[in-house]
Amino acid sequence: MKTEKKRRRGYWILAGALLVCVLLLGAGSTQVMAATYTKKTVSASSIESKGATKAIQALLDEAKEKATASNPYKITVPEGTYKLTKALHIYSNTFLVLKGVTLKQTGDAGLIIVGAESDNATGYYYKNITIYGGTLDLNKKEHTLLKVAHAYNFTLKKCTLKNVKNGHLMEVAGVKGLTVRSCTFQNQTLSDDASRSELYYEAIQIDVLVKKHFSDYVYEDLPCKNIVIDNCKFKNVPRGVGSHTAVLNNPVKNIQITNSTFTNCRSAAIQGQNWINCTISDNMINGTTPRGIAIYPVLFNTSAEGVYLSSTLAAQGGVPSGTSVKYKTPAADQKIVITNNTITLSGSDPWADYDSVGILVNGFTLSKKTGLGTASGDKIPKGDYYVSGVTISGNTIKTKYLGIRLVNTKKASITGNTISYTGSGGQEKYYGIQLREKSTCTSISSNKISGSFIHGIYLNGSSKATKIAKNTISSPTKDGIRVEDSSRVTSVISNKIKKPGEYGIHVQLKGSVSKIQKNTITSPGKKAGIRVASGSSTVSGNTIK
């Protein structure tokens, strides 16, 4: 019996040891790799004799030649402020430690580039690169500060990137596995000349490998995917995170933008183009920011600017692509989730004529082949470029403009949001929630909408909603809920509408609501509690005070 007990005890000790090993391996490569790093420190004597640029680059070049996945290099720059005269180039299996370091560019160049100056790498070539800590100061040079392309598993952590003019703070293209965590992006300025500034809006731009946007790399139809941007700060930049380029039929996949703060983003905090499997959550957007979160399909305007065919990238780089150049119906569920963000809007975009809105999801329909036909994009085929599978929930929006707008968006739900109007009122185009241009929504429910929007909830342009339920709407200047312009709603039920300027619920101009039931409407203004001027509705069990 004792022998059996010992055998069992030995078994559990062995099992526990194996479990610990599995947990350590599964916890991430840092613990496993840390014991096998080749550690190098840039010496003060080397910096003094060669200058900071050559001294740091010498070790980065050594890592290029000798570092491997099983024996990566960890290169530490000693604390201090150093002037660079050229950009640094970093390669695979390199961990660059810049804790307590400021790198300031004094030459006419960017600051850090993944890969060589004239690079011929293809695919996700550069692997396992981390930059940790430090302040990267481009000193108002007209370049992009940090460029990452043809890369796999790139991490930027606890860094501050700042002081760029007419360039991005960070630009990525053809990257699989990008993590940006606990970083600050600030002080990015654009020229007043729109023709010079139009390409450089984003602090972090998720780009495509096309000649106009990403020179010095091999051009290739290689999408970004698996992106995490978490716990970062964006201050005094045109746009925080975004895209204004796309490749037809080849979207950016698996994006998380979470727990970050966006302050004084003068165009928008987040602008996504051609993104799917995307989660934007728990962010705070404030200051002079006119647009909070805007999501577009392959287009972001009806001129199709910035949209390229895969054949163009293949011709430029000589790398074949299997992506179709014909119109393909977008995915039915693109998995766009926008949740628990706090958005406070003010100001207007100084560079472009956008409607100011807290959350926008904006599809397009092209009735004919469209495009600029220049270096700014290809002509793309006609088709219905909708966005589909969208969840907007739990957001708090304070705005002088629009709250939430869906345009040509399918299979959406808008639930549990708090939207308040902080403007002076009387603006004809400002609504709490608007569906237009054939948008469809399974549920618009449990939202709290207050202040002098024209309408609290407004459907037009042949849009559809299954239910509009349990919303609280107070003090719109006209209607609490308005359905018109051939739009259809199955049920408007159990909403509370207080002090509408005209009607609590209003159906007109070929709009239709099947059931209007159990709503409470208090103190309607000049008109009536409920008005059905088109379609056929069952109106029952409502309370009008």
Side-chain angles (χ1 to χ4, degrees):
M1 181 66 92
K2 289 183 179 179
T3 303
E4 180 64 22
K5 286 182 179 179
K6 287 181 179 179
R7 185 182 296 118
R8 289 178 182 175
R9 186 171 60 185
Y11 169 81
W12 287 114
I13 290 171
L14 177 60
L18 289 172
L19 178 61
V20 169
C21 290
V22 169
L23 290 173
L24 285 173
L25 288 170
S29 59
T30 303
Q31 293 184 44
V32 177
M33 292 175 64
T36 59
Y37 276 126
T38 294
K39 297 181 180 180
K40 298 281 184 172
T41 298
V42 182
S43 68
S45 60
S46 177
I47 293 172
E48 185 176 352
S49 61
K50 297 178 181 179
T53 306
K54 290 183 178 180
I56 299 169
Q57 190 62 58
L59 285 183
L60 293 174
D61 289 343
E62 182 180 326
K64 175 187 176 183
E65 299 300 324
K66 297 182 178 180
T68 64
S70 60
N71 185 21
Y73 265 48
K74 179 178 279 188
I75 298 171
T76 300
V77 179
E79 293 186 10
T81 298
Y82 305 99
K83 294 180 180 179
L84 299 185
T85 55
K86 296 195 304 183
L88 298 173
H89 294 265
I90 191 168
Y91 305 92
S92 294
N93 305 311
T94 301
F95 192 126
L96 179 61
V97 181
L98 299 174
K99 187 176 180 181
V101 172
T102 295
L103 299 179
K104 188 171 185 177
Q105 184 59 268
T106 59
D108 186 19
L111 210 147
I112 298 179
I113 297 172
V114 169
E117 289 188 21
S118 297
D119 208 295
N120 58 6
T122 60
Y124 302 110
Y125 180 80
Y126 298 104
K127 296 178 172 64
N128 308 324
I129 299 171
T130 296
I131 301 173
Y132 180 88
T135 296
L136 308 179
D137 183 351
L138 201 62
N139 198 20
K140 299 184 180 178
K141 306 296 183 181
E142 294 196 22
H143 294 275
T144 290
L145 190 153
L146 173 60
K147 274 196 170 186
V148 186
H150 289 291
Y152 175 82
N153 190 20
F154 180 92
T155 298
L156 184 73
K157 187 173 182 181
K158 294 189 176 180
C159 296
T160 295
L161 287 70
K162 67 179 186 178
N163 294 340
V164 169
K165 182 177 180 181
N166 290 341
H168 303 290
L169 287 161
M170 181 176 185
E171 187 176 16
V172 301
V175 178
K176 181 180 179 181
L178 172 71
T179 300
V180 181
R181 181 164 278 125
S182 303
C183 293
T184 298
F185 298 81
Q186 65 186 40
N187 301 344
Q188 175 195 5
T189 59
L190 297 184
S191 168
D192 291 334
D193 181 355
S195 65
R196 295 186 65 204
S197 66
E198 63 181 358
L199 300 179
Y200 305 116
Y201 283 111
E202 295 81 9
I204 300 179
Q205 178 171 359
I206 302 168
D207 210 338
V208 298
L209 285 165
V210 69
K211 186 175 182 179
K212 182 171 183 179
H213 292 267
F214 237 91
S215 59
D216 300 325
Y217 286 91
V218 173
Y219 312 119
E220 185 178 0
D221 178 22
L222 188 69
C224 289
K225 58 179 69 175
N226 305 343
I227 296 171
V228 174
I229 299 171
D230 178 65
N231 194 34
C232 291
K233 296 179 181 179
F234 298 83
K235 299 187 290 186
N236 303 324
V237 300
R239 293 178 191 152
V241 181
S243 305
H244 59 261
T245 56
V247 177
L248 183 70
N249 298 321
N250 201 359
V252 177
K253 299 177 181 178
N254 305 332
I255 306 165
Q256 297 179 37
I257 304 172
T258 55
N259 304 306
S260 295
T261 301
F262 300 81
T263 304
N264 298 338
C265 300
R266 296 180 64 200
S267 177
I270 299 168
Q271 176 175 298
Q273 182 178 357
N274 203 27
W275 295 359
I276 65 173
N277 298 350
C278 170
T279 298
I280 302 171
S281 69
D282 300 289
N283 302 289
M284 181 170 289
I285 298 168
N286 56 31
T288 53
T289 303
R291 287 185 300 145
I293 300 166
I295 301 294
Y296 300 91
V298 71
L299 306 167
F300 80 100
N301 58 40
T302 52
S303 68
E305 184 178 0
V307 182
Y308 295 88
L309 302 176
S310 61
S311 57
T312 295
L313 281 69
Q316 288 181 356
V319 182
S321 170
T323 303
S324 174
V325 299
K326 298 180 179 180
Y327 169 78
K328 291 179 66 176
T329 303
D333 187 0
Q334 296 169 20
K335 295 182 172 64
I336 308 293
V337 177
I338 304 172
T339 183
N340 296 333
N341 301 283
T342 299
I343 303 171
T344 302
L345 301 183
S346 66
S348 60
D349 192 315
W351 300 284
D353 186 20
Y354 293 101
D355 281 342
S356 297
V357 57
I359 297 173
L360 169 68
V361 183
N362 197 147
F364 293 93
T365 300
L366 298 183
S367 58
K368 61 181 181 180
K369 191 174 184 180
T370 303
L372 301 179
T374 67
S376 294
D378 292 317
K379 290 190 175 181
I380 68 171
K382 68 179 182 180
D384 185 1
Y385 296 92
Y386 56 78
V387 183
S388 184
V390 177
T391 299
I392 302 173
S393 66
N395 301 284
T396 298
I397 301 172
K398 296 180 180 180
T399 176
K400 297 178 180 179
Y401 318 106
L402 285 154
I404 297 172
R405 171 184 276 175
L406 304 186
V407 181
N408 195 16
T409 299
K410 318 298 182 186
K411 297 183 179 180
S413 67
I414 304 174
T415 61
N417 302 283
T418 299
I419 308 168
S420 56
Y421 187 79
T422 59
S424 57
Q427 300 293 325
E428 283 294 333
K429 63 181 180 180
Y430 296 150
Y431 317 108
I433 296 173
Q434 182 190 25
L435 272 62
R436 73 181 208 188
E437 296 177 30
K438 299 182 180 179
S439 292
T440 65
C441 207
T442 56
S443 178
I444 304 174
S445 62
S446 302
N447 300 286
K448 296 179 180 180
I449 303 170
S450 62
S452 52
F453 293 109
I454 291 298
H455 310 306
I457 298 172
Y458 179 40
L459 275 68
N460 66 340
S462 300
S463 295
K464 296 179 181 179
T466 303
K467 65 177 181 180
I468 301 176
K470 298 182 180 180
N471 299 285
T472 300
I473 303 169
S474 60
S475 304
T477 58
K478 288 189 177 179
D479 300 338
I481 299 171
R482 178 182 283 202
V483 181
E484 65 179 25
D485 193 18
S486 300
S487 293
R488 303 282 185 269
V489 178
T490 303
S491 64
V492 175
I493 184 169
S494 299
N495 298 282
K496 295 181 179 180
I497 302 171
K498 301 176 183 179
K499 297 182 179 180
E502 293 186 355
Y503 301 100
I505 299 168
H506 192 183
V507 186
Q508 64 165 4
L509 299 175
K510 299 182 180 179
S512 175
V513 177
S514 299
K515 297 178 182 179
I516 303 175
Q517 297 177 325
K518 299 181 181 179
N519 300 283
T520 299
I521 301 167
T522 304
S523 302
K526 302 175 183 177
K527 305 294 182 178
I530 299 171
R531 179 176 187 254
V532 180
S534 66
S536 176
S537 298
T538 298
V539 181
S540 64
N542 300 284
T543 299
I544 301 173
K545 300 179 182 179

